[in-house]
C-alpha cells in the first residue's frame, strides 16, 4: 500500500525530473522530498555545521532545479543530485576558506543504535568518539572529506563516488587514502585513552 502523502509513487525519479522539465510545478518538490534526508546528511557531514549545510543544500537544489534539462541520464537521478550537493558544499568551503571544528550534534543521523538506555557510560563513550571523529573530519582537506563522506559514511562504491565528484576513480582512492591517514593521525590520542 502506498503512503497517502505520496500522490505519484509510481513515477520514477527520472520521470519526475522529466515532468519538472516539461513544466509540472510539483514534480521537483516530490523528487526532493524523496531524497532530502540523504542529501541533508551529505551536506551536513561535508559542511560540518547546520547553517552552512542548509545554505549549500539550498544552493544545490536551486542549481538542480534550474539545470534539470541538462540531465543526460548517464547516471541515476540520485547520483546526479548527490553530485550537485557535494559540489555546492565544496564550492562554499572554497569560497569561505573557513574551517570550523565544531562537533556535530550527537543525534546527527538519529541513529537508534547510537544511544541505548542499557549502558549510559557506553553511550557517552560512543557519543564522545563520534564527536571526535566529526571534529577530525572538519580538520582535513575538503576534497578528502567529501570522498570519505561518500565512500566511508554514505557507503558508496569508489566508482559511484567518482561519478558524483566528477573525478577519476584513482583520485577518489587517493583522496580516501590520504584522508584516512590524516584522520588516523588526528585520532591517535584516542587510541591511548582507550
Amino acid at each position: 500500500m502506498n503512503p497517502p502523502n505520496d500522490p505519484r509513487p509510481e513515477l520514477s525519479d527520472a520521470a519526475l525530473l522529466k515532468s519538472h522539465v516539461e513544466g509540472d510545478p510539483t514534480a521537483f518538490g516530490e523528487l526532493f522530498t524523496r531524497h532530502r534526508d540523504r542529501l541533508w546528511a551529505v551536506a551536513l557531514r561535508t559542511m560540518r555545521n547546520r547553517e552552512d549545510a542548509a545554505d549549500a543544500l539550498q544552493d544545490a537544489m536551486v542549481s538542480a532545479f534550474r539545470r534539470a534539462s541538462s540531465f543526460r541520464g548517464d547516471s541515476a537521478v540520485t547520483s546526479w543530485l548527490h553530485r550537485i550537493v557535494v559540489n555546492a558544499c565544496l564550492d562554499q568551503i572554497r569560497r569561505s576558506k573557513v574551517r570550523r571544528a565544531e562537533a556535530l550534534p550527537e543525534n546527527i543521523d538519529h541513529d537508534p543504535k547510537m544511544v541505548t538506555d542499557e549502558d549510559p557510560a557506553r553511550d557517552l563513550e560512543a557519543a564522545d568518539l563520534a564527536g571526535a571523529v566529526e571534529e577530525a573530519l572538519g580538520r582535513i582537506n575538503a576534497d578528502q572529506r567529501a570522498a570519505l563522506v561518500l565512500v566511508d559514511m554514505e557507503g558508496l562504491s569508489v566508482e559511484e563516488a567518482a561519478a558524483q565528484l566528477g573525478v577519476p576513480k584513482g583520485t577518489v582512492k587517493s583522496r580516501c587514502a590520504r584522508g584516512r591517514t590524516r584522520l588516523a593521525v588526528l585520532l591517535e590520542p584516542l587510541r591511548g585513552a582507550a
Side-chain angles (χ1 to χ4, degrees):
M1 178 175 235
N2 296 323
N5 60 349
D6 193 356
R8 297 186 285 186
E10 72 281 355
L11 290 181
S12 68
D13 291 344
L16 280 173
L17 193 61
K18 183 177 184 223
S19 292
H20 163 67
V21 170
E22 292 172 350
D24 182 336
T26 62
F28 192 83
E30 291 177 40
L31 182 63
F32 175 70
T33 299
R34 279 186 190 175
H35 302 290
R36 70 177 162 217
D37 292 342
R38 282 204 67 188
L39 296 174
W40 170 248
V42 168
L44 188 57
R45 286 180 170 148
T46 304
M47 296 307 299
R48 307 270 310 120
N49 83 33
R50 291 184 173 282
E51 292 88 21
D52 291 344
D55 289 345
L57 185 58
Q58 180 177 344
D59 289 349
M61 289 304 97
V62 167
S63 178
F65 184 90
R66 291 178 178 162
R67 295 184 3 213
S69 62
S70 70
F71 177 71
R72 296 184 314 252
D74 297 340
S75 62
V77 173
T78 54
S79 295
W80 178 73
L81 289 172
H82 275 84
R83 182 176 182 179
I84 292 172
V85 170
V86 169
N87 286 338
C89 290
L90 293 176
D91 287 347
Q92 186 170 333
I93 289 169
R94 288 180 186 122
R95 277 192 311 265
S96 68
K97 300 285 186 189
V98 174
R99 306 268 169 125
R100 297 179 189 212
E102 300 168 15
L104 291 173
E106 294 169 14
N107 64 349
I108 182 172
D109 290 327
H110 306 288
D111 187 352
K113 295 176 283 187
M114 181 73 172
V115 178
T116 66
D117 292 328
E118 296 171 12
D119 188 349
R122 192 175 345 166
D123 293 343
L124 184 58
E125 287 174 20
D128 287 345
L129 178 61
V133 170
E134 293 294 343
E135 182 178 344
L137 267 174
R139 295 175 60 194
I140 66 172
N141 173 286
D143 291 328
Q144 293 170 3
R145 180 168 63 238
L148 285 175
V149 165
L150 292 175
V151 174
D152 291 347
M153 300 176 100
E154 291 297 316
L156 272 61
S157 68
V158 169
E159 292 79 13
E160 292 168 326
Q164 289 189 18
L165 294 170
V167 298
K169 292 187 296 188
T171 301
V172 172
K173 289 179 182 178
S174 67
R175 286 178 182 175
C176 285
R178 288 184 182 123
R180 289 180 191 125
T181 299
R182 180 74 176 125
L183 281 178
V185 169
L186 292 170
L187 296 173
E188 182 63 31
L190 292 179
R191 226 179 261 217

